[in-house]
Amino acid sequence: MTKRIPVVEKIMSANDRVAAENRAHLDAACVYSLNFMASPGAGKTSLVERTIQGLQDRLRLAVINGDIATSLDADRADAAGAVKSVQINTGGNCHLDAIMLQDAMPQLTLGEIDLLIVENVGNLICPSNFQLGTHKSVLVASIPEGADKPYKYPGIYRGVDVLVINKIDLLPYVPFDMDYFRRGVEALNPGLETFALSCKTGEGVNAWLDWVANEVEAERQPSVW
Ligand code: MG
Ligand code: ZN
C-alpha cells in the first residue's frame, strides 16, 4: 500500500514539467492564458461566449475545449467569433492535463492570438490537481449550485486565482446565502479576486472583461525588471 504514493507523485511531477513547457511556449509568443474550471452547467461556455463577444474588437481570442464526448462547446466558441477553437475529446477522462494541452497546442498559431482560454471538463474535484501551464485559473461558480460548495469542494476553491459567480440574475428566485458562500471562500482563499455577474443578462460582465483585458495587456508588456 505504501508504494502507491511515490507513483502518484511521479505522475504529478511529469505533468508539472509539461505544464512548465506549455507556459514557456505561451510566454514566448506573448499569449496570455486562462484555465476555466467549474461544475457541469455553471456557465463556463457562456462565459467563454461573453468574453469573446466583449473583447473581439480589442483581442484575438482562441479557445481549447476539454469535453468528454462532444464538440458542442467548441462549436459555440466558433459561433461567438473565436479566431480558432480546438476540441480535446478526453475519451471519458474527467479532467484535462498538461500533456493533453501540449498535444492540442500545435493546432493553434500562437502568433495570431492574444488570449487563449482553456475550458476544462466540468468537474469540481480533479481538474484543480493538474496544472496546465496557463497563467491563471478561473473557477466559475453559479447561484443554483448552492452556497455550500466552498465547504464541500475546498480543494478547487483553495487553488484558483479568480472566482466568477455566475447567474446572479437568479438570486431573487433561488435560496442562496451569499454571506455564507463568501465566508467559505474567504477562509480557503483570502482576498480571492471575485466577479459576480450574469452571462444571461450581462450584468457585471464589463468588470470581468476589463480585468481580462488588463491581464492580457500586462502579458504583452516586456517585464520591467
Ligand atoms: Mg461547457
Ligand atoms: Zn479527473
Side-chain angles (χ1 to χ4, degrees), residues 82-104:
V83 169
K84 173 93 181 172
S85 74
V86 175
Q87 178 69 33
I88 300 177
N89 198 318
T90 66
N93 209 333
C94 51
H95 59 266
L96 292 179
D97 63 31
I99 294 160
M100 293 180 207
L101 183 61
Q102 188 174 54
D103 288 346

Side-chain angles (χ1 to χ4, degrees), residues 1-222:
M1 288 299 281
T2 52
K3 281 187 180 160
R4 297 181 64 177
I5 291 167
V7 171
V8 171
E9 280 175 356
K10 232 184 220 172
I11 292 167
M12 295 302 286
S13 66
N15 183 79
D16 287 353
R17 207 165 48 239
V18 175
E21 290 171 15
N22 291 344
R23 170 69 72 86
H25 200 161
L26 291 162
D27 281 342
C30 294
V31 175
Y32 182 77
S33 55
L34 294 170
N35 174 17
F36 282 13
M37 298 185 285
S39 63
K44 291 184 300 303
T45 311
S46 299
L47 188 62
V48 166
E49 288 173 324
R50 277 283 182 186
T51 307
I52 295 168
Q53 287 159 357
L55 294 176
Q56 62 188 351
D57 293 343
R58 289 186 265 175
L59 301 176
R60 300 164 301 170
L61 206 152
V63 183
I64 292 181
N65 282 93
D67 214 307
I68 291 176
T70 72
S71 67
L72 295 172
D73 290 355
D75 297 345
R76 284 173 63 185
D78 273 335
V83 169
K84 173 93 181 172
S85 74
V86 175
Q87 178 69 33
I88 300 177
N89 198 318
T90 66
N93 209 333
C94 51
H95 59 266
L96 292 179
D97 63 31
I99 294 160
M100 293 180 207
L101 183 61
Q102 188 174 54
D103 288 346
M105 288 218 306
Q107 295 181 59
L108 301 172
T109 307
L110 291 181
E112 289 177 354
I113 61 174
D114 307 302
L115 170 62
L116 171 64
I117 297 177
V118 180
E119 182 181 339
N120 217 308
V121 179
N123 176 352
L124 286 181
I125 304 169
C126 43
S128 64
N129 295 333
F130 292 86
Q131 296 294 319
L132 302 180
T134 49
H135 292 82
K136 288 196 176 166
S137 55
V138 178
L139 176 61
V140 185
S142 72
I143 299 305
E145 288 171 59
D148 58 353
K149 292 301 168 288
Y151 303 90
K152 286 188 165 175
Y153 300 95
I156 199 160
Y157 277 86
R158 206 180 272 126
V160 293
D161 302 303
V162 184
L163 174 65
V164 171
I165 306 171
N166 187 26
K167 308 191 189 184
I168 57 169
D169 54 299
L170 296 180
L171 278 168
Y173 313 107
V174 176
F176 185 94
D177 184 339
M178 187 63 87
D179 288 340
Y180 178 67
F181 177 82
R182 285 185 182 269
R183 276 201 306 281
V185 173
E186 185 62 21
L188 295 165
N189 198 330
L192 179 62
E193 185 115 43
T194 300
F195 299 92
L197 54 80
S198 167
C199 288
K200 187 173 179 211
T201 66
E203 184 184 355
V205 169
N206 281 343
W208 158 255
L209 295 175
D210 288 344
W211 178 84
V212 175
N214 282 334
E215 289 283 303
V216 173
E217 198 51 44
E219 170 72 11
R220 276 195 196 134
Q221 304 297 329

